[in-house]
Amino acid sequence: MDILGKQVVEQLVGELPQCAIAEVNLVADNEVFTLFGGATEDGRLLIVKVAHEYIPDKIHRRQFNAREILDQEALLCTHCRAHGLPAPVIHGKSYREGSGLDFVVLDWLEDDHVTPDPFFMGSTLNRLHSMNPPAFEPVAQRGGPLEKMICTAILDRTVAITRFNQRRFRMPAVENLLAHLSWPDRRTSLLHMDFTARSLSSVGGVITGVSNWTNALIGPPTLELMGMDEHGLLDDSFLGGYANYEMFRAPPATETAFRLYAATEIAIKSVLNTPDPANEIKALNRVDFLFEEFARLSN
């Protein structure tokens, strides 16, 4: 057990004795959380989700407070369970000043580490989009209306791509992009925005829990669906489980703008993180095509 793991054990004993674990094991580590797992004396399997001190947003040059992310994670897991959606039980949170850790303790959900069946993924996402969203402002959405956040993200990512790659794009005027993102007939739902196998626990293809709410938004389901399609996750089986995708169709220019939100994210990650020139060119060509398509549809 490393130094961080020992600190988790000590803080659990002092702050959340009902969740005390004698020894923890590292489960996962990413730019947002470090996850430790272990068993209590009565045999309960728990996950301790330790947030990094600050969550970086490299493109917008800002940082999210770790406690805000943990609060959001706890709130949305609890909200989902209250509405019948599978999610881990939250057993407690511990926030410490100085050298202490900020973490949330939740159930260790059973998971066979096999990608969930697309049909069940679609069905679960439909249930998520159908329930009433909680009355809160997602961390990623603070500072203005959703359409402004999406517009800023698209343009900032594109500028960053150009800075790193020298690729030029036919970027729209801010006013035009905002006008089409402000879709008046949209339905408003809780959006996960990272609805992939890494955020889903499953057994035998059936989803046992949804977690990892760092990127959550409140907005039109079409925004999430178009993003998943850009990531290649929408197939006939998924849409069969989702069942009523057609009722959420946006105007073509708006749908293209929603796709740009995902495509620019894929592209900037390929420029910064992917050592595969073919994937980088493919991602940049996709952004180029969508900007041209938006210009055609919005004029």
Side-chain angles (χ1 to χ4, degrees):
M1 189 163 56
D2 63 11
I3 295 175
L4 186 60
K6 291 179 180 179
Q7 191 173 355
V8 167
V9 170
E10 292 172 1
Q11 194 165 321
L12 280 171
V13 171
E15 300 289 330
L16 297 170
Q18 73 277 16
C19 300
I21 300 172
E23 184 172 353
V24 296
N25 298 304
L26 180 65
V27 174
D29 191 13
N30 56 47
E31 66 177 12
V32 181
F33 297 114
T34 300
L35 275 66
F36 292 94
T40 61
E41 286 188 0
D42 58 4
R44 289 178 297 146
L45 296 177
L46 300 178
I47 287 287
V48 182
K49 206 165 198 175
V50 183
H52 298 178
E53 186 174 1
Y54 291 101
I55 313 302
D57 180 351
K58 297 176 183 177
I59 304 307
H60 298 99
R61 297 188 179 88
R62 60 185 177 182
Q63 292 180 319
F64 297 127
N65 185 282
R67 294 181 181 179
E68 295 176 337
I69 298 295
L70 288 174
D71 284 341
Q72 178 167 288
E73 182 83 7
L75 169 68
L76 295 181
C77 283
T78 302
H79 182 78
C80 286
R81 287 185 61 83
H83 287 77
L85 201 70
V89 174
I90 304 297
H91 293 285
K93 293 182 289 185
S94 180
Y95 296 160
R96 293 284 296 274
E97 301 300 332
S99 60
L101 303 174
D102 293 336
F103 59 72
V104 62
V105 183
L106 56 158
D107 277 340
W108 187 330
L109 297 178
E110 190 176 2
D111 188 0
D112 59 14
H113 301 290
V114 175
T115 301
D117 184 282
F119 183 90
F120 290 117
M121 287 183 67
S123 175
T124 302
L125 187 62
N126 177 266
R127 290 168 61 192
L128 170 62
H129 289 167
S130 297
M131 70 185 188
N132 291 326
F136 92 116
E137 185 179 46
V139 174
Q141 205 166 328
R142 293 175 186 174
L146 178 65
E147 56 268 22
K148 181 180 178 182
M149 185 277 289
I150 297 173
C151 179
T152 300
I154 291 172
L155 298 180
D156 283 357
R157 291 168 185 165
T158 306
V159 170
I161 291 168
T162 300
R163 186 169 67 248
F164 287 109
N165 188 270
Q166 306 303 312
R167 183 73 174 259
R168 304 293 175 183
F169 300 96
R170 183 181 178 183
M171 294 168 63
V174 173
E175 296 78 11
N176 191 27
L177 190 54
L178 280 172
H180 289 280
L181 287 168
S182 304
W183 174 26
D185 298 327
R186 68 189 186 192
R187 172 178 173 171
T188 299
S189 299
L190 175 62
L191 312 179
H192 188 280
M193 301 305 292
D194 190 16
F195 200 76
T196 59
R198 66 186 175 187
S199 299
L200 304 171
S201 302
S202 66
V203 176
V206 179
I207 294 170
T208 58
V210 182
S211 57
N212 296 337
W213 292 93
T214 302
N215 299 318
L217 299 172
I218 292 180
T222 306
L223 174 63
E224 180 151 29
L225 291 167
M226 293 301 96
M228 294 187 71
D229 198 29
E230 289 300 309
H231 282 88
L233 298 173
L234 291 193
D235 58 16
D236 289 342
S237 179
F238 187 103
L239 291 174
Y242 193 88
N244 58 354
Y245 166 65
E246 290 296 329
M247 67 183 290
F248 300 132
R249 288 301 295 269
T254 301
E255 188 173 287
T256 302
F258 287 165
R259 288 182 178 276
L260 273 165
Y261 180 65
T264 51
E265 180 183 29
I266 294 169
I268 189 61
K269 286 182 178 179
S270 72
V271 169
L272 295 177
N273 304 324
T274 305
D276 186 341
N279 280 341
E280 181 177 327
I281 292 171
K282 180 180 178 181
L284 296 177
N285 287 345
R286 179 61 178 169
V287 172
D288 199 12
F289 169 80
L290 288 172
F291 273 130
E292 292 291 339
E293 187 72 354
F294 180 80
R296 182 182 69 81
L297 293 169
S298 62
N299 291 331

